[in-house]
Amino acid sequence: MHNIRFVASQSVSIPVPVQPVPIQHYLRQPQRLIRALVDPTRTEQLGKERFRLKMRPLEFMMLRIQPTVELRVWAKPDGTVHLVSVGSEIRGIEYIDRRFCLDLLGKLSPVEEGGVTYLKGKADLVVEVDLPPPLWMAPKSLLETTGNGLLKSVLLTIKQRLMHQLLLDYRHWASDAPESELAVGGQVLSPNTPPA
């Protein structure tokens, strides 16, 4: 068998700056979360909790692949967000697509410690694939090191967006939220906020 398995995990613990609206409210909006974590031009909303994500092209040995992953993202009342992949495909390379499986499992929770709220989370990414014939002769250790490194870089990119883009988006959202509550009959009373 030429099946190989790649694995990566990434944990985060990020202090959340205090805003007028607690981050739990922000986290209960999966579509907003996905837009903050992933380039919006590469995401498509399929339903209330389902999204299709086109990952960046990945270079693996002599292959260039671009996985498309379908995700289910939902939040519990306490703001804990769960993310799980429910399908994946590799478009354009049928040999690999038929022998490719991607599993992503993630969880992100607001946790209060000593008066400070932290976003704590963990993501696990597993890819199983049957290698195409050109890679059959490559040493397994080299393939595993390369593949695991590739997955780690994918999770690291998500972590960096979480630390910067998500907190930035939360700040914008929290500062706008109280104004939007002043809306009367569809008209926003605050001069700073354009009508929706």
Side-chain angles (χ1 to χ4, degrees), residues 124-137:
D124 297 300
L125 182 56
V126 177
V127 167
E128 286 190 52
V129 64
D130 276 2
L131 299 172
L135 294 178
W136 288 358
M137 302 306 285

Side-chain angles (χ1 to χ4, degrees), residues 24-34 51 73 75 81 173:
Q24 285 85 336
H25 296 283
Y26 173 88
L27 294 171
R28 287 200 290 262
Q29 305 174 72
Q31 72 288 351
R32 188 144 196 141
L33 201 65
I34 288 288
F51 301 85
V73 184
V81 178
W173 174 84

Side-chain angles (χ1 to χ4, degrees), residues 2-188:
H2 300 284
N3 182 275
I4 194 160
R5 191 170 192 261
F6 307 118
V7 182
S9 287
Q10 185 74 60
S11 296
V12 292
S13 179
I14 311 163
V16 179
V18 175
Q19 298 295 342
V21 186
I23 196 161
Q24 285 85 336
H25 296 283
Y26 173 88
L27 294 171
R28 287 200 290 262
Q29 305 174 72
Q31 72 288 351
R32 188 144 196 141
L33 201 65
I34 288 288
R35 278 206 308 271
L37 288 179
V38 184
D39 180 346
T41 62
R42 291 187 287 112
T43 57
E44 178 188 352
Q45 187 158 355
L46 305 174
K48 187 168 178 271
E49 299 178 342
R50 289 174 90 97
F51 301 85
R52 183 179 292 129
L53 159 62
K54 188 188 282 184
M55 295 173 71
R56 290 187 190 282
L58 305 172
E59 305 279 348
F60 177 70
M61 309 301 274
M62 59 189 76
L63 296 171
R64 182 181 164 85
I65 59 172
Q66 186 168 24
T68 300
V69 185
E70 200 170 308
L71 300 172
R72 181 173 171 241
V73 184
W74 72 100
K76 296 282 182 70
D78 68 353
T80 297
V81 178
H82 294 269
L83 182 150
V84 63
S85 57
V86 291
S88 60
E89 62 178 327
I90 303 280
R91 294 177 178 174
I93 308 177
E94 197 178 330
Y95 179 93
I96 294 180
D97 182 44
R98 289 202 313 265
R99 300 163 173 83
F100 175 86
C101 176
L102 182 150
D103 284 312
L104 176 62
L105 195 61
K107 183 181 172 186
L108 190 66
S109 304
V111 178
E112 195 164 314
E113 289 177 0
V116 178
T117 301
Y118 291 84
L119 276 183
K120 296 196 175 216
K122 186 166 187 278
D124 297 300
L125 182 56
V126 177
V127 167
E128 286 190 52
V129 64
D130 276 2
L131 299 172
L135 294 178
W136 288 358
M137 302 306 285
K140 191 174 182 186
S141 59
L142 172 67
L143 294 171
E144 286 178 341
T145 302
T146 307
N148 291 347
L150 193 59
L151 296 196
K152 197 170 180 64
S153 74
V154 168
L155 291 183
L156 198 57
T157 302
I158 294 174
K159 178 179 180 176
Q160 286 165 346
R161 284 190 69 98
L162 188 68
M163 294 172 75
H164 303 291
Q165 198 61 34
L166 185 133
L167 289 182
L168 193 66
D169 189 54
Y170 164 56
R171 197 172 74 216
H172 288 315
W173 174 84
S175 60
D176 286 348
E179 291 177 0
S180 65
E181 286 163 13
L182 296 172
V184 178
Q187 292 297 308
V188 178

